[in-house]
Amino acid sequence: MRKNFKKGIALFLAATMMFSVVGCGGNKKENNKSNDKNVTTTTNDKTNTPDTPAEPDNTGDVVTDEVTPGWKQHADEKVDFTWYINFSWFTTPWGENLVSKTITEETGCNIEFIVPAGNEAEKLNSLIASDTLPDILTLGWYEGQVNQIVEDGMVYALDELAAEYDPYWFEVADEGRVGWFTQADGHVYGYPNSSFSPQDYEKYDNISSNQTFLVKKDIYEAIGSPDMTTPEGFKAAVKAAAEQFPTINGQPIIPIGAHEFGGTGNVSFDQYLCNFLAVPYEKDGQYYDRYTDPELVRWLKTFRELGEQGYLADDIFIDKRAQMEEKIAQGRYFCMLYQRTDLADQEKILYANDPNSVYIAVDGPKNSNGDDYTLPGTGINGWCLNMISKNCKNPDRAIQLFSYLMSEHGQHMTWLGVEGDMWTYNADGIETANDDVKALCSSDRSAYDKQYGADSTYWMFQDNAMSLKWAVPTPEPLGQMEQWTFPYVMTTSQYDISLQADTEEADIKSKIDNEWGVVLPKLLLAKTEAEFDKIWDSFIEKRKGYGLDTLTEKQTELMNIAKQKLGVN
């Protein structure tokens, strides 16, 4: 299993956006031209003259008086690209659905996706070691290999390719994102998806978080819809649910659910719980050690007490994703701190069987002051970075494809699909999905992807901020969970720092994270509070011995750099 931190980001997928637009739910090596592979380019004529006023073209994009999109000039010149997706779960092919066929027709670019069959890190490391990176790469921004391939000169600087082959890229690239990902040498090597700037959070009031406290609606209402924001209320509700509903469809109830445990802990009991308790990310100008906050300890002891009394089922400590999905579909969990989109498919199954049997978001654990939750939305880092390998023989066409996918026309295509066939403008000029398309997306996502391939089926360049222009509220049974998060969402971009691999600080953090992965289940399973305290005190001492102060100093430095870059206090 990947580290929980990585997993938490990676699960923000096309299906995990804040709205569905369809309504379905260390020496550095120089990166110079001498490192380039054999390159084949095509002529990029600038057909507009300076005296021609800027106006929307027939795709809806504004073309300036000096720049014509490169993809428009070469649609008849076919080119094939290999595109590496560093996620083994991605299985949608290219060229079989309407959207991918149309993109190929409009750009001349055909795609062959390459996806690891097993461990992503092993596959990526193998490609790097053998210098066989495919033409285009989509990697999580948090992967240590990102810095490696940039430093080793294995990918092109996107801004240099754009300046030479497609100035239109500068028209569609978000200035804030480009600035954030610009390296010390002044160049940008990857363009993000799912990226939100702090300014986006000020502009929009319908950005969602994926983190929710969920309860089984029928059980929750049957026990009186109790207040579960305090330890006392939480314990009482869990006990009432277990006593009144000992079995669900003949299977034992699981009173408290959670994400799966891994080598670095469990996001339900650490990251998410901290966010529900409004534990700060910094204190007195220093990067804060959130896991030692008294509020978190208080609630971990609450869960320990419930475990002592038999309300933490063995299932939650041993189940993997497949087993959890099966039990969610059976409605066996009463409550859980959980990513709402991780149970979207199971929620639809429950809804189809009985709309009252679904999971709903309600107020869950709060800190002693009853402060509002601080739930992170996606930050400036987004989710993935898209890069062009030096092995690409047609980098000119690759950067033009990037420009296409980044443009409003490209976003219309990947979110909404082909105009006319899949959506139209309504009387108010608002993009509206055709009823049959919307119905298929809601009822059979797999069939929708195979036939149409929009609604961010190809999520590699998904621009969630832009999509808010035409997004429609997510329908039930998924809408309530999503909308519940709106008032509590905040940006945490300044705290989404990444330690460089193979550094002292990265090694310290790895040791501390791995120790937490061992300690957390022991804390929850401790037979007494005294045993809990003993385990806790030992953990605190070990962290100091690993070099926590050194790590905190580096994290504070990177936090301040990020703040300055973002222009936030």
Side-chain angles (χ1 to χ4, degrees), residues 61-83:
D61 289 317
V62 174
V63 181
T64 71
D65 57 357
E66 297 182 355
V67 180
T68 297
W71 60 269
K72 287 192 166 194
Q73 303 173 45
H74 304 296
D76 294 334
E77 303 167 30
K78 304 304 179 184
V79 63
D80 294 324
F81 289 118
T82 53
W83 191 329

Side-chain angles (χ1 to χ4, degrees), residues 42-48 55-64 67-78 103-109 165-166 168-169 172 396-397 399-405 407-410:
T42 50
T43 304
N44 182 23
D45 297 323
K46 297 179 182 179
T47 56
N48 288 32
E55 60 182 19
D57 67 359
N58 59 10
T59 66
D61 289 317
V62 174
V63 181
T64 71
V67 180
T68 297
W71 60 269
K72 287 192 166 194
Q73 303 173 45
H74 304 296
D76 294 334
E77 303 167 30
K78 304 304 179 184
I103 293 175
T104 295
E105 290 173 3
E106 293 189 347
T107 66
C109 300
Y165 302 120
D166 193 21
Y168 180 64
W169 184 88
V172 295
D396 55 333
R397 298 294 298 280
I399 193 67
Q400 291 164 15
L401 177 63
F402 276 30
S403 298
Y404 173 94
L405 293 169
S407 70
E408 185 161 322
H409 174 65

Side-chain angles (χ1 to χ4, degrees), residues 13-125:
L13 316 178
T16 74
M17 52 215 170
M18 71 296 302
F19 276 106
S20 166
V21 298
V22 175
C24 60
N27 293 325
K28 294 185 178 180
K29 297 181 180 179
E30 294 295 324
N31 290 288
N32 52 41
K33 295 290 183 179
S34 63
N35 290 328
D36 292 358
K37 304 290 181 180
N38 295 326
V39 173
T40 303
T41 62
T42 50
T43 304
N44 182 23
D45 297 323
K46 297 179 182 179
T47 56
N48 288 32
T49 66
D51 297 327
T52 304
E55 60 182 19
D57 67 359
N58 59 10
T59 66
D61 289 317
V62 174
V63 181
T64 71
D65 57 357
E66 297 182 355
V67 180
T68 297
W71 60 269
K72 287 192 166 194
Q73 303 173 45
H74 304 296
D76 294 334
E77 303 167 30
K78 304 304 179 184
V79 63
D80 294 324
F81 289 118
T82 53
W83 191 329
Y84 178 72
I85 309 294
N86 197 41
F87 299 97
S88 59
W89 46 259
F90 180 73
T91 57
T92 306
W94 186 272
E96 297 181 8
N97 54 43
L98 182 58
V99 165
S100 60
K101 289 178 181 178
T102 303
I103 293 175
T104 295
E105 290 173 3
E106 293 189 347
T107 66
C109 300
N110 186 52
I111 306 299
E112 177 191 353
F113 288 124
I114 298 175
V115 180
N119 184 278
E120 289 94 344
E122 291 180 2
K123 176 65 174 180
L124 182 55
N125 289 336

Side-chain angles (χ1 to χ4, degrees), residues 541-558:
E541 287 303 314
K542 281 187 177 181
R543 293 160 76 257
K544 290 179 181 178
Y546 290 144
L548 177 64
D549 290 343
T550 299
L551 173 61
T552 301
E553 183 179 352
K554 172 55 83 173
Q555 290 173 321
T556 300
E557 175 190 339
L558 295 175

Side-chain angles (χ1 to χ4, degrees), residues 359-371:
Y359 287 93
I360 58 172
V362 299
D363 288 358
K366 285 190 173 184
N367 63 28
S368 301
N369 295 325
D371 293 328

Side-chain angles (χ1 to χ4, degrees), residues 26-37 124-133 137 144-157 183 185 189 387-391 500-502:
N27 293 325
K28 294 185 178 180
K29 297 181 180 179
E30 294 295 324
N31 290 288
N32 52 41
K33 295 290 183 179
S34 63
N35 290 328
D36 292 358
K37 304 290 181 180
L124 182 55
N125 289 336
S126 175
L127 292 171
I128 293 171
S130 60
D131 193 17
T132 55
L133 288 173
L137 314 171
Q145 294 92 335
V146 170
N147 287 332
Q148 178 184 351
I149 61 179
V150 171
E151 292 170 1
D152 289 351
M154 303 182 78
V155 290
Y156 284 102
Q183 303 295 308
D185 63 1
Y189 295 90
M387 314 172 91
I388 299 174
S389 163
K390 288 283 182 71
N391 291 328
Q500 188 168 335
D502 300 322

